[in-house]
Amino acid sequence: MTENDFLPKPYTTTVENGAVSWQSPSNIALIKYWGKYGEQLPQNPSISFTLDACHTKTTLRFSKKNTPGSNYDFEVFFEGVKSESFAPKIEKFFNRVETYLPFLKHYRFEIHTENTFPHSSGIASSASGMSALALCLTEVAQMFTTEKLSSEMFLRKASFLARLGSGSACRSLEGPLVVWGAHPKISTASNLFGTVFPFEVHPVFQSYQDTILLVDKGEKQVSSTVGHNLMHNHPYAKQRFRQANDNMEKLIPILKSGDLNGFISIVENEALSLHAMMMTSMPYFILMKPNTLEIINRIWKFREQTGSKVCFTLDAGANVHVLYPISEKEQVDHFITNELQSFCQNGNYIIDHTGLGATRIEI
Ligand code: PMV
């Protein structure tokens, strides 16, 4: 498929006003997307677990303007309160997707959005937020035509649009494992949108647990836009993109067989490689905090002492995602409360697990 496949046919129906609502989950990458080209296209393939408890609910209200203006007309309400801080990101998003959603300047929008996770938790809400908004807009677009998209094409279009809002958002529509970015061994994978991992997945990975330790709830030190751009002249970029491709190839049989040791080594290698890229860019950053390292060392020690299959991954920040099979839930819960919780800011953490993706909300 190409970008052109997402251009709409001429609209045949008019709608005065309406409202739609979607709920989208966050996701945590096992193989990391870090580095992009063109319009939000990834330099390497990535794969993520779709989460469940951490999600965004968005309701989009729209009403036809008397005359279409030259500007986008929208207001954002975050948790019931009008918010200006999201406006620049949404404006940029509308600009990028207008070719595919040519009704945007003909309507006024109210975007009502809320997260289940605390806004200042350091958990990126852009993936779940952009996914939910893209799903709402895709549903609105369907109202202007009698030719409805198949459910597969609907999700593809919404994922394609979500990607233009925030790259990793295109992996936040389906679950439990979503791939984004072309890979020679995954013929269904595309740089344009996320798709469900197409091969057999061992049951152990269908109910994986993710406890997110909130080490630092502050504003991100480096925005992901700045971070991705730092890969442009990065001395190790080429090698890193090759490594991600190799790791993806190795992960395919691991996900099938349920090889937890293989899983751990790839997932931790990816997390540390992501941070290594930031430490070796110009300018350079250390996004881990002393407590991040303390947690990593405790996880390694616990694994050595108990034979547990608990492991960690990191986003572009100091928080730690603790990943483990559901069979170890009780043991790892104890370990977290006894040994890791004290390294979290105000003792805060979020218990999550893999989920099946976005859902439409009846309003
Ligand atoms: O979607 P963005 O542009 O916020 O980038 C996300 C990058 C990572 O979260 C660090 C990795 C990933 O693949 O999700």
Side-chain angles (χ1 to χ4, degrees):
M1 288 184 83
T2 70
E3 272 99 344
N4 288 344
D5 295 309
F6 296 99
L7 291 171
K9 303 237 167 66
Y11 293 150
T12 51
T13 317
T14 50
V15 183
E16 283 308 310
N17 54 59
V20 293
S21 189
W22 281 83
Q23 170 176 318
S24 280
S26 186
N27 71 73
I28 178 66
L30 305 172
I31 293 186
K32 308 290 182 183
Y33 150 60
W34 199 244
K36 61 180 173 181
Y37 69 96
E39 280 272 79
Q40 302 269 99
L41 296 163
Q43 291 279 15
N44 65 259
S46 58
I47 182 168
S48 47
F49 272 143
T50 305
L51 297 180
D52 189 69
C54 291
H55 60 249
T56 300
K57 266 187 209 164
T58 297
T59 299
L60 180 69
R61 299 186 182 282
F62 58 97
S63 51
K64 201 162 192 314
K65 296 200 256 188
N66 293 334
T67 42
S70 53
N71 293 325
Y72 304 113
D73 194 349
F74 66 87
E75 281 179 309
V76 186
F77 294 84
F78 181 67
E79 280 157 15
V81 180
K82 191 172 164 192
S83 160
E84 300 292 343
S85 63
F86 295 93
K89 207 159 182 193
I90 304 241
E91 179 92 24
K92 200 163 153 195
F93 172 58
F94 277 11
N95 245 318
R96 282 202 186 127
V97 296
E98 201 199 350
T99 327
Y100 308 99
L101 301 170
F103 60 88
L104 287 179
K105 285 189 178 142
H106 297 247
Y107 285 83
R108 290 232 21 263
F109 298 97
E110 263 184 32
I111 303 165
H112 294 262
T113 188
E114 58 192 63
N115 295 333
T116 51
F117 46 95
H119 181 53
S120 58
S121 60
I123 298 182
S125 59
S126 58
S128 52
M130 282 299 172
S131 162
L133 181 57
L135 282 158
C136 288
L137 289 166
T138 309
E139 186 176 338
V140 174
Q142 290 269 75
M143 297 177 187
F144 302 127
T145 161
T146 45
E147 269 183 63
K148 303 292 178 227
L149 297 172
S150 66
S151 53
E152 185 187 29
M153 266 311 287
F154 180 90
L155 285 173
R156 243 175 225 188
K157 177 154 186 183
S159 175
F160 172 87
L161 297 172
R163 186 201 96 233
L164 290 164
S166 172
S168 60
C170 77
R171 298 189 314 239
S172 267
L173 288 83
E174 298 177 88
L177 280 158
V178 177
V179 181
W180 169 41
H183 187 276
K185 293 279 185 282
I186 312 176
S187 63
T188 49
S190 167
N191 280 354
L192 299 177
F193 46 81
T195 44
V196 172
F197 178 71
F199 305 122
E200 196 181 327
V201 176
H202 191 279
V204 74
F205 295 121
Q206 290 173 20
S207 57
Y208 232 64
Q209 307 295 299
D210 178 7
T211 297
I212 309 159
L213 306 182
L214 305 176
V215 171
D216 183 29
K217 300 194 269 170
E219 274 289 303
K220 276 200 198 171
Q221 223 186 95
V222 189
S223 74
S224 49
T225 310
V226 171
H228 290 294
N229 284 337
L230 289 173
M231 290 303 280
H232 283 313
N233 291 313
H234 198 294
Y236 307 137
K238 226 169 135 188
Q239 208 42 52
R240 161 62 198 149
F241 303 143
R242 188 177 311 153
Q243 177 196 37
N245 271 277
D246 292 349
N247 277 343
M248 184 69 94
E249 184 160 352
K250 289 185 198 146
L251 195 60
I252 296 171
I254 290 172
L255 290 175
K256 182 176 175 185
S257 67
D259 167 11
L260 293 179
N261 291 333
F263 179 80
I264 291 169
S265 57
I266 291 195
V267 167
E268 293 190 347
N269 173 245
E270 278 289 318
L272 296 178
S273 298
L274 169 72
H275 281 251
M277 288 303 106
M278 294 183 230
M279 287 189 223
T280 50
S281 60
M282 198 56 100
Y284 39 79
F285 299 95
I286 300 181
L287 300 186
M288 289 188 230
K289 298 278 180 207
N291 283 351
T292 312
L293 269 182
E294 195 57 54
I295 290 167
I296 292 174
N297 280 313
R298 300 265 175 155
I299 289 175
W300 284 344
K301 196 163 153 213
F302 182 74
R303 219 160 58 208
E304 203 181 286
Q305 287 172 343
T306 64
S308 160
K309 301 298 179 200
V310 65
C311 72
F312 72 88
T313 189
L314 306 166
D315 257 337
N319 295 337
V320 182
H321 287 249
V322 183
L323 300 176
Y324 48 99
I326 194 165
S327 59
E328 288 192 19
K329 189 164 171 43
E330 207 176 316
Q331 180 193 7
V332 176
D333 277 353
H334 275 129
F335 166 56
I336 290 172
T337 44
N338 292 341
E339 279 204 51
L340 304 184
Q341 187 175 8
S342 58
F343 300 114
C344 301
Q345 213 173 348
N346 307 322
N348 281 331
Y349 62 89
I350 299 173
I351 299 173
D352 210 338
H353 54 86
T354 57
L356 289 178
T359 44
R360 185 174 180 273
I361 302 169
E362 229 25 91
I363 44 172

